[in-house]
Amino acid sequence: MALGRFRKILQIVGYSGSGKTTLIEKLIFQTAAQGLRVGTIKHHGHGGIPKEFSKDSVRHEQAGACVAAVEGQGTLRLSIHQESWTLDEMLALYDLFNLDRILIEGYKQEQFRKVVLLRKQEEMELLEKLSNISCVIHWPTCVIEKNMDYPVFSIDEEEQYIKFLMEEWRGNHGNVIV
């Protein structure tokens, strides 16, 4: 990365309506309350160029994010435009903001530690397709029957999964990028 700064990155992935933005708000609030600087990058998963800052990016800012961006079809709402943006290019740009933590919403196939949110049973296929899963948070409408190689939380176990994620970010479990 550009400045060689250490920071921890966590991805929050899942389909629309799974609770990604709400979870990110909670993690931003907890992180900012500890005096750490956090930034967010959201993938505009609906296709096309984001018309303006997304309501999710505004929610990220209101929760305490120092930098919040949304990217879609090559437009990065900070606002900078070029042919296209890779996640690595956006992270290099974020080096300028002296952040301690970065939350990424979307970009399912990237290599960073992931929290997977599952709302419906048919979304279980994500667990077969994704790598580097930190934990799974599922809704009552998605029953997880088998043992997993990572922690599994019900969406109702908020205190437990927030504590787990904050400890993972503090410890050596998170993905540290240089």
Side-chain angles (χ1 to χ4, degrees):
M1 300 270 96
L3 302 177
R5 177 160 166 71
F6 288 92
R7 71 221 162 161
K8 296 201 176 184
I9 298 173
L10 182 64
Q11 284 182 260
I12 310 298
V13 301
Y15 290 112
S16 181
S18 63
K20 297 182 301 292
T21 302
T22 300
L23 176 57
I24 285 177
E25 283 177 307
K26 292 172 183 175
L27 292 171
I28 292 168
F29 181 79
Q30 292 287 323
T31 303
Q34 294 177 5
L36 298 173
R37 293 174 50 83
V38 63
T40 63
I41 298 174
K42 176 180 173 50
H43 183 248
H44 184 61
H46 308 292
I49 296 172
K51 291 181 177 42
E52 54 191 51
F53 284 103
S54 73
K55 65 180 179 5
D56 292 348
S57 294
V58 171
R59 287 173 62 185
H60 295 174
E61 281 186 50
Q62 291 172 341
C66 297
V67 181
V70 61
E71 187 280 335
Q73 201 172 326
T75 296
L76 178 62
R77 289 284 183 216
L78 269 172
S79 189
I80 305 167
H81 188 79
Q82 65 181 25
E83 185 65 29
S84 66
W85 286 90
T86 67
L87 185 55
D88 283 341
E89 289 170 327
M90 289 181 272
L91 290 171
L93 181 63
Y94 269 45
D95 269 341
L96 300 172
F97 302 113
N98 197 28
L99 301 170
D100 299 300
R101 306 284 192 267
I102 297 176
L103 287 164
I104 299 171
E105 184 174 336
Y107 297 95
K108 292 179 184 83
Q109 299 307 316
E110 292 293 334
Q111 78 279 11
F112 304 106
R113 297 288 288 169
K114 291 174 190 63
V115 176
V116 181
L117 286 116
L118 302 172
R119 188 169 194 131
K120 301 175 189 168
Q121 202 64 36
E122 54 270 18
E123 296 171 358
M124 289 282 292
E125 47 90 18
L126 278 177
L127 301 180
E128 303 298 322
K129 294 179 179 180
L130 300 179
S131 64
N132 214 2
I133 296 172
S134 174
C135 71
V136 172
I137 301 171
H138 67 95
W139 290 74
T141 49
C142 180
V143 179
I144 298 181
E145 297 175 4
K146 62 181 181 175
N147 289 336
M148 301 288 173
D149 293 336
Y150 32 77
V152 176
F153 301 96
S154 163
I155 195 75
D156 299 321
E157 297 176 306
E158 180 178 319
E159 186 176 326
Q160 291 92 330
Y161 62 74
I162 294 292
K163 181 180 178 188
F164 170 81
L165 291 169
M166 294 305 292
E167 286 175 1
E168 178 159 300
W169 249 8
R170 241 179 265 121
N172 295 320
H173 306 288
N175 194 349
V176 180
I177 300 298
V178 178

